[in-house]
Amino acid sequence: MAGGAQARTARGWWRRKSTPAKVETYTRWSYHFFGVAEVVSAGVPAVAQAGVRVGGLLMLLVLAHAGLGAVTAARALDWTRGRREQPTRLLWSLGVFSAAIAVTAIGTGQHGPDGEGVEEAAGAVFSVVLIFGAGVIALGVRRRARVFGMVGGFAVGAGAVMFPFGMPAAAALGSSLAVLLGAGFLAFTSVFSVWLLDAVYELDEARETRARLAVAEERLRFGRDLHDVMGRNLAVIALKSELAVQLARRGRSEAVEQMVEVQRIARESQREVRDVVRGYREADLGVEIAGAQGVLTAAGIECRVSGVPEGLPAEVQSALGWVVREATTNVLRHGDAKRCEVGLRVREGQVVLTVENDGVGEGMVDGSPGAGGGSGLVGLRERLAAVGGSLAAGAGDGDVFRLVAEVPVRPAGEATA
């Protein structure tokens, strides 16, 4: 029971992360795993091959190097995301520490206790420390030329450090080649990981920017429509009011006629503004469902639609159309859904719209988008209440978020008419 609850909690923690946050978490833990791989590939075999005394020393050095590498990788990733300054001191410290361990390993293999196991353990520590050190340092280097120079420096240094210990040229060349290939591969992995992480964040920011631009464009359209309606009428009202003032000062009875005309134009303006606002607020349910399906599919979310919005009153379609629009926005912005289902059915005089997705996002508090202060659900409930409807939203089983809107087939205003 407890294990199942912990597993569900862990899955929920992962699913609540956005896609960029998931990629970043995966990248960070990959570099933590690098430290584990370093210890397993060089530290643990050293104890078995060189004994507890010499192998234990090598093991401690590898553990210290892996720990420093994990800290450096974490700080370097923070730097790539712009959260802290470049960890220059850590990068240099890791490079110097890698070189020191490599020299210690070579010295142990050549001048330590005799035995083939000691030489093998020391050689493994020598290569692995340099390879993983170069791979982690590449995370904190921005320019590719410097990455190539750093990898080449590690490879040349690996061969050069062997000559003072009397190692043959063939062995030095082989070590240089091994470090060059291994360090080059890990450095390429680091550069690619940073590029991928930046690309994912940039794509996410572009999606949010596109959504904001769509909202801004709609506001501009509404502003233009309102200006077109009110501009001319207000100009006429101003002119006729000025004329009425002049006539009134002269005691002319035509001033009353001008003010009556002003009153008529003002009422006409009121009606036209209401028409503009009503046209802005009303939404066609069929168009909204088709648009939601297209947008979600374009975002890589499988969207299934069941039910056809035919024969429904305009007020019902408008209210439910806004529910579909708001639900689609929540799926795109707050969660990390892979599928979304939109269902529409009529039962016992009620139109029931269900929008269900498998992504419960960070912006959802207690399973409700906008519960942390947003007004999306509040606005939807107000719209539905105007036609006698209701709204229910919350998390279901298996990290599923479900939104259910119910509206009478005949709106409340018509039923009482």
Side-chain angles (χ1 to χ4, degrees):
M1 297 285 291
Q6 292 176 354
R8 286 193 297 271
T9 302
R11 288 196 299 269
W13 166 80
W14 177 256
R15 294 181 68 85
R16 282 192 295 271
K17 286 182 173 291
S18 63
T19 299
K22 287 181 177 179
V23 175
E24 181 176 351
T25 301
Y26 172 79
T27 303
R28 289 183 180 275
W29 281 103
S30 296
Y31 280 93
H32 293 327
F33 178 76
F34 275 13
V36 176
E38 183 178 356
V39 173
V40 171
S41 60
V44 174
V47 177
Q49 294 172 342
V52 176
R53 183 167 173 268
V54 177
L57 174 62
L58 295 175
M59 174 73 165
L60 289 176
L61 292 176
V62 173
L63 282 172
H65 186 269
L68 181 59
V71 174
T72 304
R75 299 290 178 84
L77 285 172
D78 287 340
W79 168 68
T80 61
R81 299 305 317 139
R83 298 168 187 160
R84 65 169 67 243
E85 296 181 355
Q86 186 179 17
T88 306
R89 292 183 179 180
L90 272 176
L91 295 173
W92 278 104
S93 298
L94 181 60
V96 172
F97 192 39
S98 300
I101 294 177
V103 172
T104 302
I106 288 296
T108 301
Q110 294 299 309
H111 302 289
D114 294 334
E116 184 178 349
V118 174
E119 293 184 3
E120 292 181 358
V125 171
F126 173 84
S127 301
V128 169
V129 163
L130 291 179
I131 290 172
F132 279 93
V136 172
I137 292 174
L139 276 177
V141 180
R142 191 179 300 274
R143 296 178 60 182
R144 301 295 176 261
R146 292 183 178 180
V147 174
F148 296 146
M150 182 267 299
V151 172
F154 267 72
V156 172
V161 77
M162 291 187 173
F163 289 107
F165 291 97
M167 299 286 291
L173 181 60
S175 297
S176 295
L177 183 60
V179 172
L180 178 64
L181 295 177
F185 174 77
L186 289 187
F188 170 79
T189 301
S190 298
V191 172
F192 179 77
S193 298
V194 171
W195 174 84
L196 179 62
L197 188 60
D198 290 342
V200 171
Y201 270 103
E202 289 174 3
L203 287 174
D204 189 66
E205 292 173 1
R207 185 175 66 176
E208 292 184 0
T209 301
R210 183 175 59 184
R212 288 195 296 268
L213 288 176
V215 173
E217 183 179 356
E218 183 65 13
R219 288 176 177 173
L220 287 174
R221 184 196 67 79
F222 178 70
R224 288 194 300 266
D225 292 347
L226 195 61
H227 176 271
D228 293 341
V229 169
M230 294 298 297
R232 175 181 57 83
N233 290 349
L234 289 176
V236 174
I237 288 174
L239 290 173
K240 286 188 172 294
S241 299
E242 184 178 355
L243 178 59
V245 170
Q246 297 297 329
L247 292 173
R249 287 176 177 175
R250 299 174 185 176
R252 302 277 297 274
S253 60
E254 291 88 343
V256 176
E257 297 177 1
Q258 294 298 325
M259 290 309 298
V260 169
E261 184 67 12
V262 167
Q263 187 180 40
R264 185 191 67 79
I265 295 174
R267 289 177 177 173
E268 182 69 16
S269 299
Q270 260 187 330
R271 183 189 63 79
E272 291 180 353
V273 169
R274 282 196 298 268
D275 290 341
V276 171
V277 173
R278 185 180 300 112
Y280 177 72
R281 288 183 176 177
E282 287 183 353
D284 182 83
L285 182 55
V287 173
E288 291 298 331
I289 291 178
Q293 188 174 22
V295 170
L296 293 175
T297 302
I301 301 173
E302 180 185 0
C303 183
R304 299 179 181 177
V305 177
S306 60
V308 180
E310 292 182 351
L312 298 179
E315 293 85 349
V316 174
Q317 292 205 41
S318 177
L320 293 180
W322 275 97
V323 174
V324 173
R325 182 180 299 181
E326 182 68 22
T328 303
T329 302
N330 288 331
V331 172
L332 291 173
R333 296 185 60 185
H334 298 303
D336 188 26
K338 298 297 184 296
R339 64 173 182 82
C340 180
E341 297 183 2
V342 180
L344 185 69
R345 65 184 187 278
V346 180
R347 64 180 185 187
E348 300 178 357
Q350 296 278 332
V351 182
V352 182
L353 173 68
T354 304
V355 182
E356 180 178 295
N357 68 86
D358 61 350
V360 179
E362 293 176 339
M364 300 179 183
V365 180
D366 297 330
S368 300
S375 59
L377 292 183
V378 176
L380 289 182
R381 289 191 172 97
E382 291 176 354
R383 293 180 185 276
L384 293 176
V387 292
S390 61
L391 180 72
D397 297 334
D399 295 325
V400 171
F401 181 78
R402 183 179 296 107
L403 187 147
V404 181
E406 295 189 18
V407 179
V409 175
R410 293 182 60 84
E414 290 186 16
T416 57

